[in-house]
Amino acid sequence: MGIVAGLDSSPDFTRIVVCDADTGAVLKQGYAPHPVEGRPSDVDPQAWLLSLGEAAGGGLLEGVQAIGVSAQQNAVVPLDAQGNTVRPALVGSDKRAQVAAADLVDALGGREAWAQAVGCVPQAAQPVTKLRWLVKNEPDAALRTAVLLQAHDWLVWQLLGRPVRRTTDRGGASGTGYWSAATGGYRTDLVELALGHQAMLPEVIGPSDAAGTTPEGLLISAGTGETMAAAFGLGIGLGDAVVSLGASGSVTAVHPEALVDNTGMITSLADATGMHLPVVTTLNAVRTLRGAAELLGLSDLESLSELAMKSTPGSHGLVLLPYLEGERTPHLPHTAGTLAGLRRESMKAEHLARAAFEGMLCGLADALDVLRGRGVEVRRVFLLGAAAELAAVQSAAPAIFGAQVVVPQPADYAALGAARQAAWALGVSQGALDPRTPPAWQGAAAQILEPGEELAVGQAVRQQFVSVREQTHPGAFRA
């Protein structure tokens, strides 16, 4: 079909991959950091354009026929009636908005009301919450806000020359807090609840639709959020889940329908293909490991992993409930971590190190079980993040998760997903692809880990963890 490009504008940088549209083979790459110090909560979106221009330098996009855009989620760009930014974009997990999130939950009648309305409960990071914060703290800016875009919407709009028509996709819309993946429609009443008045929202177009074509003839696909683009780049499908190991953790799976969860533990997102991506988040993943390393006087996670491998499954009875920052799954926002099972023979550094890994993985297994309990099939678990390379993670994860574990080689999966979306839109425009079937690109190169004979041992470790959790926080998982 030709050559396509995928652009990922993350919180820190822009990455561009240029791919063969038929196979997905990467032909060229570009990279540039955003010209922004650190990770501020307010960013002039022009910074994203500057790094885009730098990443695309040297003729990187010569011969490219279509481009897809992936960008950081939860960034809201408020525009005035003329299309100018009212203030810098509100980005990231903005702790300033925690009070605003609680206000919104109460204003609609509680967590269950939000889950029923849009499939998620407002968190500090979400655009809907940031709108409420804006009203409370910058009322003049809120009053001047006439149009609401997210990061990938704004970048697509800029690449197309700021046309009258503004677009987004299902994936991006589903993270706003004012679009429902279940109904496929906006809840404009929730925009008004948060912002105090109505604002123009981008048109939600289909996964294989084009947002438009530049005057030079470059086709721009719908674009999507980073989570959806990475899932598309990995090539996950029904039966697959993705466990992301960051400071906090997330479990995402592919499902044919939107899930409404009255407890609010499941965030019901849409994906980049027409399917759904229910997500369950834990607040404590790699931060658990870093805390254990510091406690044991170790300088890095590799040393913690080496120490943990000197212990045995079950950590000699030590169980760490890793709720160091409180927890979202289960909903225990004000709790702390618990170390149980202390005996004289278990009070060794290697057992504590192992308990940190097992506690983190069991917490993520709890999140997987939330999805399984709602009928989501999980046959394979893709494990992402630098910590996925650690021996202590790889040795324990398959048996604790009770599934085959796939550790993909590091790659720019969000940019690859954006490029695959561009190839889909290009193929449909040429009549070469079905609008319901994305191009069949080769899947990610990966290491495959099977639970094998360790499955029973891993499930015993899980049961040990669950017993301590139930004793310490009875009924935490009951709605």
Side-chain angles (χ1 to χ4, degrees), residues 39 113 184 197 210 224 240 242 274 294 364 414:
R39 278 200 178 185
H197 60 87
T224 196
D240 294 332
V242 177
E294 289 174 16
L364 290 161

Side-chain angles (χ1 to χ4, degrees), residues 50-428:
L50 289 170
S51 67
L52 190 167
E54 188 178 341
L60 185 76
L61 298 180
E62 285 180 11
V64 168
Q65 294 165 270
I67 190 165
V69 177
S70 156
Q72 60 180 302
Q73 287 157 242
N74 298 320
V76 61
V77 186
L79 305 178
D80 64 18
Q82 287 72 47
N84 301 312
T85 50
V86 167
R87 68 175 315 283
L90 294 122
V91 303
S93 184
D94 195 339
K95 290 187 176 180
R96 297 177 302 183
Q98 286 175 339
V99 172
D103 283 351
L104 280 177
V105 171
D106 291 343
L108 196 64
R111 296 168 61 83
E112 183 175 339
W114 278 96
Q116 291 286 342
V118 285
C120 63
V121 177
Q123 304 291 332
Q126 283 179 298
V128 71
T129 305
K130 288 168 177 168
L131 298 182
R132 171 57 70 101
W133 180 89
L134 197 62
V135 167
K136 298 290 186 183
N137 294 275
E138 299 177 13
D140 290 345
L143 277 173
R144 290 191 292 120
T145 298
V147 181
L148 295 173
L149 298 180
Q150 292 190 87
H152 85 263
D153 309 336
W154 187 84
L155 284 165
V156 165
W157 185 56
Q158 295 291 327
L159 289 171
L160 288 171
R162 297 164 58 106
V164 173
R165 182 191 188 218
R166 301 177 182 92
T167 62
T168 191
D169 85 308
R170 297 168 64 255
S174 66
T176 59
Y178 43 81
W179 186 88
S180 167
T183 65
Y186 281 115
R187 285 290 300 265
T188 55
D189 58 316
L190 299 182
V191 175
E192 188 163 353
L193 180 69
L195 187 61
H197 60 87
Q198 291 294 342
M200 286 186 66
L201 303 170
E203 176 189 345
V204 181
I205 62 176
S208 62
D209 291 345
T213 304
T214 68
E216 298 77 29
L218 181 66
L219 184 143
I220 313 291
S221 64
T224 196
E226 273 190 317
T227 296
M228 300 79 189
F232 198 37
L234 280 167
I236 66 169
L238 289 173
D240 294 332
V242 177
V243 172
S244 297
L245 299 177
S248 55
S250 68
V251 177
T252 307
V254 180
H255 199 55
E257 59 189 29
L259 296 178
V260 174
D261 172 43
N262 290 338
T263 69
M265 284 191 289
I266 298 174
T267 297
S268 191
L269 300 178
D271 80 346
T273 72
M275 300 284 275
H276 294 268
L277 284 177
V279 180
V280 181
T281 303
T282 70
L283 294 182
N284 301 279
V286 175
R287 65 165 41 98
T288 305
L289 305 182
R290 296 205 182 282
E294 289 174 16
L295 183 64
L296 293 168
L298 301 173
S299 59
D300 53 48
L301 297 186
E302 288 76 13
S303 301
L304 185 71
S305 176
E306 289 172 12
L307 184 61
M309 293 298 286
K310 295 177 181 176
S311 180
T312 54
S315 309
H316 263 57
L318 276 190
V319 175
L320 177 64
L321 301 184
Y323 307 151
L324 308 183
E325 297 280 325
E327 191 46 85
R328 279 186 62 182
T329 308
H331 183 61
L332 298 167
H334 306 300
T335 194
T338 301
L339 184 63
L342 283 168
R343 295 182 179 86
R344 177 64 189 89
E345 63 271 19
S346 67
M347 295 179 73
K348 293 182 179 179
E350 60 264 32
H351 303 323
L352 177 57
R354 177 105 191 177
F357 282 96
E358 290 179 345
M360 175 189 76
L361 291 170
C362 284
L364 290 161
D366 279 349
L368 269 171
D369 282 352
V370 169
L371 294 178
R372 284 174 167 141
R374 293 297 307 277
V376 177
E377 185 181 12
V378 178
R379 293 192 305 270
R380 294 192 299 177
V381 174
F382 285 71
L383 202 54
L384 303 185
E389 303 291 333
L390 297 172
V393 170
Q394 294 192 3
S395 68
I400 288 176
F401 292 157
Q404 182 187 84
V405 168
V406 180
V407 184
Q409 289 184 1
D412 304 308
Y413 290 109
L416 286 168
R420 190 178 177 204
Q421 187 194 65
W424 195 5
L426 178 65
V428 169

